[in-house]
Amino acid sequence: MTAEAIFQALQDADIGAYAVTLDQRIVFWNRSAEQILGHTSDEVLGRRCYEVLAGTRGDSLVPACINGCPSMGSIRSSEIPQVIEANLLRSTGDRLAASVTPMVVAGDGENAPVLVHLFQRAPAAATDEDASDSPAAARRPTRRGVLAPRELQVLRLVARGRSTQQIADELEISPHTVRNHVRHFRRKLEARTKLDAVMTAMRLGLLDQV
């Protein structure tokens, strides 16, 4: 999928999402990000992500952000960006504990890659009321937690932007086997697309670090 197609799919998603360029400028900010953090897209587009989400105080999101995004550093080192537990700055000035999953979207043509971040409240920050009233909770798959270890491994690599061939190379399996694992976890998570599967997995906590 192109970045534009992913942005369109994420615009009305019930998980917060934003995307940044390699120089850390925000180029996409979805409606859930507005609702969760209070910053509107008009306020944040074109600004540096660390200015919006971390501020410049000593208790910033991740101190290293100002000197270079950890996820960007992973990309430049050909490593997989890791899930981040962060305190995101809200428009009200307080901070929200959140789990942030980076996903690399390769550029097409002359366009450089972008880094999409999917985020939701960290489990400790969610309340029973949040869980019962959210549309996401109502749609949780009935087969929660049944992903095989290899399916979960492939899903985590998909969430971090790896292509089918890259996953095959990294896990030393065939692209056909990768596609089978993708088909299986999509069915188990009742997801129409890989992106749907990633968002569902985030809601279920399947992408949390172990």
Side-chain angles (χ1 to χ4, degrees):
M1 295 178 70
T2 64
E4 289 74 14
I6 290 176
F7 295 167
Q8 183 175 2
L10 288 173
Q11 183 58 50
D12 295 315
D14 53 8
I15 281 179
Y18 65 95
V20 299
T21 56
L22 294 181
D23 65 354
Q24 297 177 264
R25 293 192 183 277
I26 298 173
V27 293
F28 172 74
W29 187 265
N30 78 345
R31 291 191 178 91
S32 287
E34 292 187 359
Q35 294 169 357
I36 295 171
L37 297 177
H39 309 288
T40 68
S41 60
D42 288 341
E43 293 170 339
V44 304
L45 291 180
R47 295 177 61 190
R48 307 278 186 179
C49 54
Y50 56 79
E51 294 174 349
V52 175
L53 298 171
T56 56
R57 300 195 302 270
D59 60 339
S60 61
L61 166 68
V62 178
C65 281
I66 297 176
N67 296 319
C69 172
S71 297
M72 290 296 183
S74 296
I75 294 172
R76 294 188 177 100
S77 300
S78 298
E79 299 173 353
I80 300 174
Q82 301 297 307
V83 176
I84 301 168
E85 298 301 323
N87 292 312
L88 304 181
L89 184 64
R90 305 175 74 173
S91 62
T92 53
D94 60 330
R95 293 184 181 273
L96 177 73
S99 295
V100 184
T101 298
M103 181 172 65
V104 181
V105 178
D108 54 336
E110 297 181 355
N111 295 322
V114 295
L115 186 60
V116 176
H117 293 80
L118 306 178
F119 69 92
Q120 61 180 356
R121 292 176 176 85
T127 64
D128 291 339
E129 183 178 358
D130 291 334
S132 61
D133 291 344
S134 78
R139 292 199 301 271
R140 282 187 173 180
T142 57
R143 302 185 66 186
R144 176 180 180 178
V146 298
L147 295 190
R150 183 66 94 179
E151 292 166 358
L152 183 56
Q153 194 174 22
V154 171
L155 174 60
R156 284 174 171 161
L157 291 173
V158 167
R160 293 165 189 169
R162 288 298 199 251
S163 68
T164 297
Q165 188 60 59
Q166 288 173 325
I167 294 172
D169 293 342
E170 187 159 339
L171 300 182
E172 298 183 343
I173 57 180
S174 71
H176 175 73
T177 301
V178 173
R179 286 190 285 269
N180 279 340
H181 288 314
V182 170
R183 183 169 63 253
H184 292 160
F185 70 60
R186 281 177 51 194
R187 174 176 54 81
K188 291 178 178 181
L189 295 174
E190 301 176 9
R192 293 175 300 171
T193 66
K194 289 190 290 186
L195 183 59
D196 286 340
V198 169
M199 291 190 292
T200 298
M202 283 193 66
R203 288 193 290 267
L204 297 177
L206 297 179
L207 300 183
D208 295 345
Q209 292 293 81
V210 295

